[in-house]
Amino acid sequence: MEFPATLFPSYFSVGPPQDEGGPAPAAGWGELGQVLEAGPDHHQAETMFVPRRGRTGESWEPADAAAVPFLPPNASCWIPSLLPQDILYRSFLRRKLQTSKYGPTLDFTKQLSHFFVDHPEDAFGSLGKLLHKNFHLGDSGVKVSGFRDSTIRMTALMEEINRLDARRGCPQEHLASRLRWFSHLSRDWLFEVPLGLLADCVHEELLLQWAGLLFNDSPTGGALAWLPPEDAGTRTGRLVYPGGQAMNHLYFQDVVLEELPCTQGFPAEFELNGRIRQVAAARLDGEDFIGVRSDYHCGVWSVPGRTGAAPTPLQVIRTSMPASCLTVSPHLPGELAICTQSGSIYLWNVKTGLQRLRHDPQTMFFRDHSPWRWSGFTAHPRVLSCADRTGLECLDARAPERCHFNLFKVGEEAGCQQGERVVLPMYLGRAHPSQHLVTTQFSVYVVDERLPLVPVLKWMHMMKSPPLFAHLMPGDPGRSHKLLLGASRTQEMLLLQYEGKNWGGMSACQLVGPPQKLHSIASCLQHLPAQLPHHHHLLQKRLSTPAAGLAATLQKDGSQESLLVFQLSEAGDVFYQRLTHEAAQPPAPALRDETMAALGSSPLFEDPASSPQGLEEEEEEEEEEEQTFYFEAAALRYRHWLKALSRRCREPPRHSCPPTFGQKRLFTRKELQTPAGPSTLHSQARQQMQQAMREGGRIQHWDLPDAQAPLIPQPPEPVEGPDPLSTRLTASWSGDWSLWWEQRSSFSRAQRQRALRERRQRQKRARGRRSLSASFTSSLTYQSELSELSDAGPPPLSPVVPQEGSLARGSPPPSPAPDEALLSSQTLRSRGIPKERRKTLRDYLGVYAEGPPEPPEFLGSQASQLCIPSSQSQLSSASQTRRKHPRMGF
Amino acid sequence: SSHEHKLNFRKSKDLCLNYIQDAMLQKQWKRAAEFLTFYAEALEKDFSREYMGPSEIIWRIGTEILCHHSHSSIKEFNSFIEQMKTLGVKRYLKVCLEHVFRLLCNGLIDEAYQNLSLAESWRFGEQTAIQDKEMKLIQAYKGLLDYYSWSKQKNILLKLGQDGFEDLSIEQEMHSYFRKAAVNLKEILKIPGVWDLFLKSYVDLLEFYGDEEEARQVLNEYAYNSKFPANPNAHVYLYQFLKRHGESKKSLISALKILHDLVPSHELMIDFNTMLQKSKKRKNRRLGLEVIFAVLDYAGWKENVKAWSCLARQMKQIVISEKHLDWIKQEWNSRKDWWPAFHFSYYLAKRNWQENESLSYEKALVAGILLGKDCKYFRYVSHQGCKAQVKRFRILKKFVKKHSPDYLRISG
């Protein structure tokens, strides 16, 4: 427990933070901070200096191009996470209001109406039954004269409501008098629950949801834990993670660390009573203790160190307020610290029970509204650290009232910025017994208990969302400690290295090496084979769910060291990536990395046979072989994962009725907007198109392995003669436009017949061919028909242009989804079809596309994306409303 | 429209910055450098009123890239920084300071000194509070470099003196270095902060010229002024100073007592304990026991043989003399519910025996006294020790058995 003989110079002042900063994009670069003399003896001839930041660190290179799935996709009928547009008021007033300082405009009427539609019995059951006879729902007028006085016709009212809905967002929107009259009349008595009360509750819940959307601190600490092997000789560790539909199953999975980490046997499974928010673990006397936190329950398990020993649950406690923290003591077996949102901190010993150390609903150093609290352990087993958003304090469990000191304060002491708040504290005991990590939304700090308030290390981490997870891998003497930071919403992960030991003694803490970004789960999307657009969308959504935890382990294989990082997503998927340590720094890997990134190609799906062999030297060949083996294995895992995912998603949800499609409104506002940014696929397609235009060649040059490639059907011949628009204009100019139209329509009829005939022939021809060309043919014919209908705009392009190298041989390449591309408003608009005519066209196409209805392939929430946009009327779009209520707490 | 133009420009600027960040975080320095050349355009149309403007971003990112780029040299780096210095007046001193740090870390001490002198003479309007702080730091680092030159001259002079020569010019030069260093170092030590490096140099200077009074005052100020952070090193320096100058035991003990109150786990506590154990005063020996118990509370000392042998020695003394068993009792009271699991578990007994025999011996002695002869730790270790035919373990077993009634008095 030596204290460094000299510390880096720094100013010290007290008080609230002066620096009015904000998220600064490059704040973490370029600074060395301070310097300190390096040698223990400064009477030497030359004095050497070391910087606080920026010394060369160890080099860890990613072994693969993306994160690889580790476990099969979580078996959840996965509920998509809440999006801002789900609860924000969706009108063009929104833009104006959102920028104002009154905060977001929550669309709480929508939520209320969802409730009324989804739960009519609960909303107005009894009065509905009473008034049943007085409401007439038929189209005809009320006939029987006896009832005329006491019956009102609701159909007109319904129409009025529908019309209102269609006009949503219109500035001239005003309530129809009939509606106003009805609501005025019935507002006070119609509802089962008083409307004001209900509205208050809904509004409160919406505000909570919105706050959670902006920053959700419930997964703080992370729900993934790695239990390392008992000794370095055995290679079986254990991964503890949540899963299941509601993430309420706890799994203990044995993992063998080979070339690739593999699961061994079936995981031990426990079903819990709530969604698992956090899993914390510590090893003590050869036994692992695992604390599990859900909102109202905390439990502790123990796993004996032997491989294959079964985990045993030890104790569970229930809290009346949601718990916000659970940490396991690294000093005493069966001891944990718990915090609840009411501001209480407990020391929990499995043998002696709970001891409340503090109860204070107020924050420590200044007032902050967040009820979040955290607690951890320190170098002294009886001293606990407790934290809120304003700082950290240490208190002695034996006399919590008297003995405490401030460890970290958001203020000038630590050089904080205004608005900076503590996000995650962590005890770094495995690297140094008296050091703690504190992360805020802007910076990371390392603080030492022996020098409170003055951070021994500070660095602006530049992460886009605050780091909620951290994992420490202590380095051996002379090596750096590795620190992983993980953010939830953006899935960012950073690898930092720091050192605190040099020349045989303690030295001041230094950050070494540049920070390094690791792959996020979502980044693997670009390396996957191209998918059907809706599959792609689904996959994208699944892969970019917020992260829920991270864990890592150092693995030594002879001289080769590697770092294995696991990342858990909120959907319950576990991905991993490997980094290898390079003792000396050959420039080759960096280069490879750069070219790879520049080309955007994916080594994951590269055919090993197609990689250029001639250039390689023998020495490299071996390595290459190993690499390709690795890539192949990773690619295989991807395929399995994708297959399992699509299988799980395909299981049809049992709808009582098929989804209905309305034609009243063709496009929602959202669809008419231009997409935010073109995807890589788009840009590639565009690039290829431009190239084709330059060269005057064709766009579709399929790299088919067999020589039958030229058999691909020819693109439709362009319409001969002058362009139809000019003929039409000329005709109308000269006055015989009607004649032209007649000619034109008969011509087009003939043409359509010809096209049909051609298609039949082509189908005959293609029957023997592979499924690829078949799908291509059908989509092509479809397009050729459209090109006539749309008054001959430019011939439509196939929306999917195959990427080179991204197609795995043997697997069928993706076929474009024709209807989507055709009916999308953009396509129509790009053809210059005026808005009012698009409906006609759509109707026409709708008739045209009529066939046997396809069975719904996806979950309810996705069905609406698959089909033609349905009417926004809440009565018909049941799938959208259904998705809401579990999270609204109804 | 111009508004839209601004918006688009800003968008592409941010996008470019994102690319740079991404490349840097993946250690693709060449790629980042290429993007940075595009980003430089952001300087021309700087509409932003943001916290961190493009010029600062370019400085930071450029510096970082030049440090890692395989084709960069310190010469290029210098010219880049010179350009950066002209980009922002507010940042001038900070850029200078960082430049100096970089030069120092590359061993270019003379160039660093020149840069410090230049920066020191820089004036531009009224200084802000931050600039004031930076200026003070620049002066302090200059003082530090002066001190290193002084110490070099001193060594030469001492060497010459050994050989029986004298060199007046070197001596004069040395004195002038002293004057320059002392002025600047003294200045920064007045401001609250962590100034270990500067303080040590300043005290060394003062001690050489025999100004003990001033040195003592500076050290006392650094350690006891409540405006300064609670830096354990401040107390260590003071203690070392007092020890060097042969101060009385009493003042040494009082200095260490304060350090004990601040950082009970400090490594000097072992010295403190030895010092107190030797003391004739009962109060001091009592304090010694308290100190060593407190040290062993901390996880970092768990396997330290020295600390355990200190405790074992003192406890043995107490048990043999049969006086002051209540001291042990008092210390044990607040620890008996967690020390057994923390220090004396069966698992630890096995591991300590395997890894460090003498540690297990010392711990077994303490466990035997505190928990009696039936305690798991003591039983395992003494059994293993006897089996391995180690003499001291047999004596240990006898000792603990003989004094088992004392255990009852401690635990009771």
Side-chain angles (χ1 to χ4, degrees):
Chain A
M1 288 275 279
E2 271 178 81
F3 194 76
T6 29
L7 298 167
F8 284 103
S10 70
Y11 279 101
F12 179 78
S13 43
V14 291
Q18 302 293 317
D19 189 8
E20 44 179 299
W29 301 117
E31 263 185 68
L32 294 183
Q34 295 286 340
V35 289
L36 205 57
E37 54 179 325
D41 178 23
H42 56 75
H43 295 287
Q44 288 168 340
E46 274 309 315
T47 323
M48 281 307 290
F49 287 87
V50 282
R52 194 170 205 167
R53 194 191 92 73
R55 244 186 54 218
T56 350
E58 294 170 18
S59 158
W60 290 86
E61 296 299 335
D64 31 18
V68 182
F70 177 62
L71 298 169
N74 183 28
S76 59
C77 107
W78 165 70
I79 308 160
S81 47
L82 189 72
L83 297 171
Q85 52 262 44
D86 290 337
I87 54 173
L88 283 184
Y89 190 57
R90 215 195 290 201
S91 86
F92 63 82
L93 281 174
R94 172 180 142 209
R95 208 177 313 135
K96 234 185 278 172
L97 288 170
Q98 220 178 14
T99 45
S100 73
K101 49 188 158 194
Y102 301 110
T105 319
L106 295 167
D107 192 357
F108 107 98
T109 44
K110 185 167 86 184
Q111 296 298 334
L112 262 186
S113 61
H114 284 327
F115 172 63
F116 293 147
V117 170
D118 282 2
H119 304 269
E121 278 300 305
D122 303 330
F124 8 66
S126 40
L127 267 160
K129 275 188 196 109
L130 276 176
L131 294 174
H132 173 69
K133 281 178 190 154
N134 305 73
F135 286 172
H136 177 68
L137 285 164
D139 271 334
S140 55
V142 187
K143 277 189 190 132
V144 189
S145 55
F147 287 111
R148 181 163 273 173
D149 300 339
S150 58
T151 306
I152 53 170
R153 200 170 148 259
M154 294 305 284
T155 324
L157 213 58
M158 300 284 292
E159 275 166 7
E160 204 85 65
I161 289 172
N162 284 342
R163 220 171 295 146
L164 197 71
D165 195 58
R167 271 206 319 243
R168 185 170 250 196
C170 171
Q172 257 82 55
E173 181 178 3
H174 54 266
L175 275 176
S177 59
R178 196 197 293 265
L179 285 178
R180 196 202 302 266
W181 160 78
F182 184 74
S183 78
H184 181 74
L185 194 71
S186 61
R187 181 184 305 208
D188 296 336
W189 48 262
L190 190 63
F191 304 96
E192 212 79 333
V193 186
L195 191 59
L197 195 67
L198 187 69
D200 274 352
C201 292
V202 170
H203 198 253
E204 197 179 312
E205 175 68 19
L206 271 176
L207 277 177
L208 270 178
Q209 296 276 349
W210 176 246
L213 208 60
L214 290 179
F215 176 56
N216 181 11
D217 59 16
S218 62
T220 308
L224 191 64
W226 170 255
L227 314 180
E230 165 74 335
D231 53 275
T234 51
R235 297 171 139 228
T236 314
R238 208 169 267 187
L239 201 64
V240 189
Y241 58 93
Q245 296 207 342
M247 295 287 270
N248 63 335
H249 289 246
L250 183 68
Y251 294 98
F252 293 80
Q253 172 73 59
D254 282 342
V255 177
V256 186
L257 301 173
E258 295 291 336
E259 182 77 29
L260 290 162
C262 311
T263 56
Q264 188 183 50
F266 289 102
E269 185 180 343
F270 295 88
E271 189 181 343
L272 310 190
N273 220 349
R275 187 189 175 90
I276 295 168
R277 302 285 187 188
Q278 190 197 346
V279 176
R283 172 157 297 177
L284 262 160
D285 290 2
E287 195 174 358
D288 285 301
F289 288 88
I290 296 109
V292 175
R293 167 171 70 88
S294 61
D295 277 348
Y296 294 98
H297 294 90
C298 293
V300 56
W301 273 254
S302 82
V303 186
R306 307 182 307 275
T307 28
T312 37
L314 297 180
Q315 216 167 58
V316 175
I317 55 158
R318 207 165 70 90
T319 58
S320 54
M321 282 293 279
S324 62
C325 148
L326 181 67
T327 46
V328 188
S329 166
H331 306 305
L332 294 173
E335 206 163 83
L336 299 99
I338 303 178
C339 300
T340 64
Q341 289 189 356
S342 59
S344 302
I345 293 164
Y346 296 89
L347 183 64
W348 176 21
N349 192 305
V350 173
K351 288 201 185 89
T352 58
L354 286 169
Q355 181 198 351
R356 188 160 87 177
L357 302 181
R358 166 177 284 188
H359 175 77
D360 188 4
Q362 302 291 320
T363 46
M364 287 185 290
F365 302 113
F366 53 87
R367 195 177 298 186
D368 187 272
H369 62 87
S370 169
W372 176 87
R373 298 287 183 278
W374 194 263
S375 177
F377 290 85
T378 68
H380 192 298
R382 291 290 93 186
V383 177
L384 269 75
S385 69
C386 58
D388 56 37
R389 296 271 177 238
T390 66
L392 261 83
E393 206 176 69
C394 287
L395 49 90
D396 194 319
R398 293 166 296 186
E401 300 299 319
R402 281 182 296 116
C403 301
H404 50 83
F405 65 92
N406 301 340
L407 181 60
F408 178 84
K409 223 186 225 182
V410 172
E412 264 306 276
E413 289 88 346
C416 295
Q417 295 179 25
Q418 284 175 13
E420 195 163 344
R421 295 290 181 268
V422 175
V423 171
L424 173 77
M426 188 172 82
Y427 176 48
L428 299 176
R430 288 193 299 142
H432 189 283
S434 57
Q435 284 176 354
H436 296 255
L437 172 83
V438 179
T439 67
T440 65
Q441 71 269 49
F442 304 131
S443 304
V444 282
Y445 301 86
V446 176
V447 285
D448 195 308
E449 286 166 34
R450 296 165 297 179
L451 176 61
L453 296 178
V454 185
V456 291
L457 201 66
K458 178 190 173 176
W459 184 65
M460 308 270 263
H461 56 63
M462 306 179 284
M463 284 165 87
K464 289 188 186 81
S465 75
L468 285 180
F469 321 118
H471 189 95
L472 171 80
M473 279 149 294
D476 297 334
R479 301 279 304 271
S480 62
H481 306 301
K482 277 69 127 183
L483 192 61
L484 277 171
L485 298 179
S488 172
R489 199 168 49 80
T490 48
Q491 299 184 344
E492 288 161 289
M493 273 202 288
L494 270 191
L495 173 67
L496 306 180
Q497 302 175 40
Y498 76 98
E499 253 173 37
K501 211 165 212 179
N502 269 331
W503 310 291
M506 286 301 297
S507 74
C509 242
Q510 300 153 38
L511 201 66
V512 295
Q516 200 175 337
K517 194 170 130 182
L518 306 190
H519 302 302
S520 64
I521 295 179
S523 70
C524 74
L525 192 70
Q526 54 182 324
H527 297 284
L528 294 180
Q531 309 274 322
L532 290 174
H534 55 273
H535 276 267
H536 182 87
H537 184 72
L538 190 72
L539 200 62
Q540 189 181 27
K541 255 188 158 176
R542 171 88 176 205
L543 291 175
S544 52
T545 40
L550 69 88
T553 175
L554 274 174
Q555 185 188 349
K556 258 183 210 156
D557 204 356
S559 61
Q560 179 68 54
E561 268 184 286
S562 56
L563 179 66
L564 209 60
V565 182
F566 296 97
Q567 199 178 14
L568 170 80
S569 79
E570 269 184 8
D573 300 324
V574 180
F575 279 61
Y576 78 91
Q577 55 195 302
R578 216 174 51 138
L579 290 105
T580 49
H581 178 227
E582 275 153 37
Q585 292 182 324
L591 235 160
R592 185 199 67 190
D593 213 39
E594 271 181 49
T595 43
M596 225 160 65
L599 291 174
S601 70
S602 124
L604 276 176
F605 286 89
E606 227 163 56
D607 199 326
S610 71
S611 68
Q613 291 281 323
L615 297 169
E616 275 150 39
E617 288 163 32
E618 274 187 30
E619 221 177 3
E620 281 181 349
E621 222 159 70
E622 212 168 276
E623 194 183 304
E624 187 68 22
E625 218 163 79
E626 201 177 280
Q627 293 277 339
T628 45
F629 158 74
Y630 188 73
F631 289 147
E632 251 184 85
L636 199 68
R637 283 196 178 198
Y638 263 114
R639 270 187 216 125
H640 282 275
W641 192 84
L642 282 175
K643 214 178 263 177
L645 181 72
S646 62
R647 205 171 37 233
R648 295 230 162 101
C649 291
R650 229 178 276 274
E651 279 165 22
R654 296 282 159 230
H655 275 301
S656 50
C657 56
T660 49
F661 306 143
Q663 290 279 332
K664 276 192 179 153
R665 280 203 303 148
L666 282 176
F667 312 109
T668 56
R669 274 172 41 76
K670 207 177 143 197
E671 274 174 302
L672 287 172
Q673 275 165 5
T674 43
S679 69
T680 45
L681 209 65
H682 274 130
S683 59
Q684 268 175 359
R686 194 169 300 148
Q687 225 172 2
Q688 289 207 4
M689 188 181 83
Q690 276 164 359
Q691 199 189 345
M693 279 164 74
R694 266 200 304 278
E695 294 165 3
R698 276 183 299 147
I699 295 160
Q700 294 110 329
H701 40 86
W702 297 76
D703 266 344
L704 281 182
D706 45 2
Q708 303 222 322
L711 276 180
I712 289 174
Q714 298 295 314
E717 284 128 79
V719 182
E720 279 157 35
D723 123 3
L725 182 67
S726 41
T727 27
R728 177 179 156 190
L729 284 175
T730 327
S732 62
W733 188 250
S734 55
D736 44 4
W737 184 81
S738 55
L739 188 72
W740 173 83
W741 175 245
E742 240 157 58
Q743 274 175 359
R744 167 83 188 152
S745 51
S746 61
F747 167 69
S748 73
R749 199 180 302 130
Q751 203 181 31
R752 212 176 296 139
Q753 274 169 356
R754 198 178 66 217
L756 268 169
R757 208 176 305 128
E758 260 176 34
R759 183 170 64 173
R760 232 169 279 131
Q761 278 171 355
R762 251 183 259 138
Q763 272 170 350
K764 251 186 240 164
R765 245 185 299 159
R767 210 156 280 157
R769 231 182 284 137
R770 307 162 51 154
S771 58
L772 154 71
S773 28
S775 71
F776 187 73
T777 319
S778 64
S779 75
L780 206 71
T781 9
Y782 212 147
Q783 281 158 9
S784 71
E785 277 149 12
L786 183 85
S787 63
E788 291 161 29
L789 289 166
S790 61
D791 267 355
L797 298 164
S798 161
V800 173
V801 178
Q803 282 168 274
E804 266 178 78
S806 71
L807 283 175
R809 275 191 198 173
S811 70
S815 60
D819 359 26
E820 270 217 343
L822 289 178
L823 299 184
S824 97
S825 55
Q826 279 160 43
T827 329
L828 298 182
R829 194 169 43 176
S830 68
R831 282 167 216 282
I833 299 170
K835 203 173 170 183
E836 58 276 8
R837 282 205 52 205
R838 283 182 215 156
K839 178 180 155 54
T840 332
L841 178 60
R842 182 69 69 113
D843 283 342
Y844 180 57
L845 273 176
V847 173
Y848 206 82
E850 249 176 14
E854 282 194 20
E857 252 188 277
F858 286 86
L859 305 177
S861 56
Q862 273 84 35
S864 60
Q865 289 147 6
L866 259 177
C867 61
I868 300 165
S870 63
S871 136
Q872 287 299 294
S873 130
Q874 282 118 7
L875 282 164
S876 62
S877 64
S879 58
Q880 281 222 334
T881 50
R882 191 140 308 149
R883 128 170 209 245
K884 198 94 290 139
H885 55 76
R887 30 185 79 255
M888 294 309 299
F890 284 128
Chain B
S1 68
S2 92
H3 177 69
E4 202 169 323
H5 172 69
K6 277 182 194 174
L7 216 68
N8 285 341
F9 180 68
R10 198 189 147 146
K11 248 188 222 162
S12 52
K13 203 177 73 181
D14 289 349
L15 202 67
C16 185
L17 189 62
N18 270 344
Y19 280 129
I20 299 175
Q21 290 270 64
D22 241 38
M24 289 174 82
L25 286 171
Q26 292 173 50
K27 300 199 276 187
Q28 301 165 352
W29 305 109
K30 281 177 199 160
R31 215 159 93 94
E34 279 166 31
F35 281 125
L36 187 63
T37 50
F38 298 123
Y39 189 76
E41 203 187 322
L43 278 177
E44 287 173 27
K45 307 163 194 167
D46 182 9
F47 304 119
S48 63
R49 293 279 166 271
E50 277 157 17
Y51 168 62
M52 188 181 282
S55 62
E56 180 165 357
I57 289 174
I58 288 173
W59 164 58
R60 284 179 181 277
I61 289 177
T63 313
E64 192 77 26
I65 291 175
L66 281 174
C67 286
H68 296 284
H69 202 286
S70 46
H71 298 311
S72 74
S73 64
I74 192 78
K75 211 172 144 193
E76 268 177 341
F77 182 79
N78 285 344
S79 70
F80 173 74
I81 290 293
E82 289 309 325
Q83 282 177 44
M84 287 301 116
K85 281 179 188 171
T86 60
L87 269 184
V89 174
K90 273 189 185 167
R91 226 174 19 257
Y92 179 83
L93 289 176
K94 176 144 193 153
V95 175
C96 282
L97 205 54
E98 283 292 329
H99 188 195
V100 167
F101 291 159
R102 192 73 60 172
L103 292 171
L104 285 177
C105 290
N106 281 304
L108 301 165
I109 310 234
D110 293 338
E111 281 185 44
Y113 191 83
Q114 281 168 20
N115 269 294
L116 283 171
S117 311
L118 264 175
E120 195 189 13
S121 59
W122 181 78
R123 292 284 176 278
F124 186 87
E126 219 166 283
Q127 278 180 6
T128 61
I130 294 170
Q131 280 175 330
D132 208 38
K133 279 183 171 181
E134 281 159 356
M135 188 54 101
K136 286 260 161 56
L137 261 184
I138 284 172
Q139 286 163 349
Y141 272 106
K142 192 164 161 263
L144 187 73
L145 293 188
D146 280 328
Y147 162 74
Y148 287 137
S149 310
W150 171 84
S151 128
K152 221 192 270 175
Q153 302 286 12
K154 187 187 79 179
N155 285 346
I156 295 171
L157 219 59
L158 283 177
K159 219 173 195 178
L160 284 175
Q162 274 173 3
D163 302 342
F165 297 109
E166 254 181 62
D167 192 329
L168 265 178
S169 69
I170 290 184
E171 203 174 324
Q172 265 177 1
E173 214 177 318
M174 182 179 104
H175 293 327
S176 87
Y177 277 132
F178 158 72
R179 274 190 296 277
K180 281 195 275 183
V183 171
N184 280 333
L185 291 174
K186 190 181 178 178
E187 208 51 39
I188 193 110
L189 290 172
K190 286 179 188 161
I191 307 163
V194 178
W195 310 125
D196 292 3
L197 198 56
F198 305 135
L199 180 90
K200 271 163 91 174
S201 316
Y202 187 53
V203 169
D204 192 27
L205 284 175
L206 291 176
E207 275 185 295
F208 184 82
Y209 287 99
D211 196 351
E212 271 177 45
E213 226 15 71
E214 166 86 5
R216 188 189 300 269
Q217 203 192 331
V218 168
L219 282 165
N220 268 316
E221 179 81 3
Y222 192 57
Y224 298 136
N225 189 339
S226 61
K227 278 185 184 156
F228 280 70
N231 183 354
N233 279 343
H235 300 272
V236 175
Y237 300 150
L238 182 65
Y239 167 73
Q240 284 167 345
F241 176 84
L242 294 176
K243 212 171 154 190
R244 270 203 302 274
H245 292 269
E247 292 285 327
S248 67
K249 272 266 147 63
K250 203 181 152 193
S251 59
L252 288 180
I253 285 176
S254 72
L256 284 179
K257 175 77 174 53
I258 292 168
L259 183 62
H260 165 71
D261 291 340
L262 272 177
V263 187
S265 63
H266 200 276
E267 68 261 25
L268 275 182
M269 291 303 117
I270 298 293
D271 295 3
F272 189 34
N273 171 265
T274 338
M275 199 191 290
L276 290 169
Q277 265 193 55
K278 282 183 199 150
S279 168
K280 290 201 176 66
K281 278 189 191 160
R282 223 174 51 174
K283 204 180 84 190
N284 281 347
R285 272 178 290 142
R286 170 85 183 81
L287 181 66
L289 190 69
E290 208 180 303
V291 165
I292 196 70
F293 258 108
V295 162
L296 285 167
D297 278 349
Y298 285 87
W301 288 96
K302 219 175 156 177
E303 276 161 17
N304 190 300
V305 189
K306 217 168 168 187
W308 279 106
S309 76
C310 280
L311 179 65
R313 195 168 61 224
Q314 195 167 5
M315 286 204 1
K316 208 167 156 185
Q317 262 176 20
I318 291 172
V319 169
I320 288 171
S321 69
E322 299 210 357
K323 267 190 266 175
H324 311 306
L325 277 171
D326 56 319
W327 292 357
I328 301 183
K329 193 178 163 180
Q330 274 172 25
E331 291 301 323
W332 184 235
N333 256 340
S334 62
R335 295 179 170 89
K336 63 183 170 196
D337 55 336
W338 58 279
W339 264 40
F342 185 52
H343 286 310
F344 305 129
S345 68
Y346 184 67
Y347 178 88
L348 280 176
K350 273 206 305 207
R351 217 182 68 188
N352 289 158
W353 172 256
Q354 271 169 17
E355 286 170 4
N356 193 339
E357 197 190 289
S358 38
L359 173 71
S360 67
Y361 170 80
E362 306 289 354
K363 274 179 80 173
L365 177 60
V366 176
I369 295 170
L370 291 172
L371 293 162
K373 62 183 169 22
D374 293 329
C375 128
K376 280 175 284 182
Y377 193 95
F378 173 75
R379 257 174 46 192
Y380 181 84
V381 172
S382 62
H383 181 74
Q384 293 292 327
C386 291
K387 219 164 74 183
Q389 305 270 319
V390 186
K391 198 180 162 197
R392 58 175 175 170
F393 282 95
R394 229 172 298 146
I395 299 168
L396 166 76
K397 206 167 178 177
K398 256 185 223 160
F399 177 84
V400 170
K401 277 211 175 128
K402 190 181 153 201
H403 291 281
S404 52
D406 293 333
Y407 151 69
L408 292 174
R409 277 161 62 195
I410 292 166
S411 64

